[in-house]
Amino acid sequence: MNKLLKETFKKYEMEIFSTTPIIKCSPRGDEVLVWLAENQDLEIESMAILDDGKDFKGLKDYLIQTSFDAGLTKEKADCVIDLLNSNKYKDENFCKYRNLHINVGGK
């Protein structure tokens, strides 16, 4: 993983727990859904998606959209902290993403 990215997160007392798989020719949102499906055994209390893309379908409530040029700014980091502290992941609207069986790329 990019050293600068790790250093930036550390600056804001954050760390990257995990990253999504890379699935060619699929929207980034599908990669997140696959990660969630593969990690159902984790007791996830909150989550935030940091990305400069927009293709996250029903996961937009968890997306903190960054800019490729600006990267993670203090303002965006504060948004991530607020989102992680909101426990939005436990909301009933998100329950539909639990117990997923994802079929990506016809597999």
Side-chain angles (χ1 to χ4, degrees):
M1 183 171 299
N2 184 310
K3 183 179 177 182
L4 179 60
L5 182 62
K6 286 183 180 181
E7 289 173 0
T8 302
F9 272 75
K10 188 174 182 177
K11 178 180 173 183
Y12 295 106
E13 299 178 10
M14 299 166 56
E15 69 178 88
I16 298 171
F17 171 75
S18 182
T19 59
T20 58
I22 296 172
I23 304 171
K24 293 184 181 186
C25 301
S26 288
R28 292 279 298 130
D30 286 351
E31 295 172 351
V32 173
L33 291 173
V34 167
W35 187 94
L36 288 170
E38 290 175 348
N39 290 280
Q40 292 181 43
D41 58 321
L42 299 176
E43 294 182 22
I44 299 171
E45 295 180 12
S46 60
M47 76 172 199
I49 301 167
L50 292 109
D51 203 287
D52 59 354
K54 296 181 181 181
D55 54 347
F56 286 88
K57 301 178 186 175
L59 298 172
K60 288 186 185 271
D61 288 347
Y62 303 91
L63 175 64
I64 304 298
Q65 191 167 12
T66 58
S67 158
F68 180 80
D69 296 325
L72 181 63
T73 63
K74 168 97 170 82
E75 177 187 8
K76 296 292 183 173
D78 289 343
C79 290
V80 171
I81 292 166
D82 289 346
L83 180 58
L84 292 174
N85 287 330
S86 74
N87 287 323
K88 186 177 282 211
Y89 185 80
K90 292 186 174 188
D91 290 350
E92 63 183 61
N93 290 335
F94 195 78
C95 288
K96 64 183 176 182
Y97 295 113
R98 296 184 185 180
N99 300 316
L100 294 170
H101 300 284
I102 305 296
N103 181 9
V104 177
K107 294 181 182 177

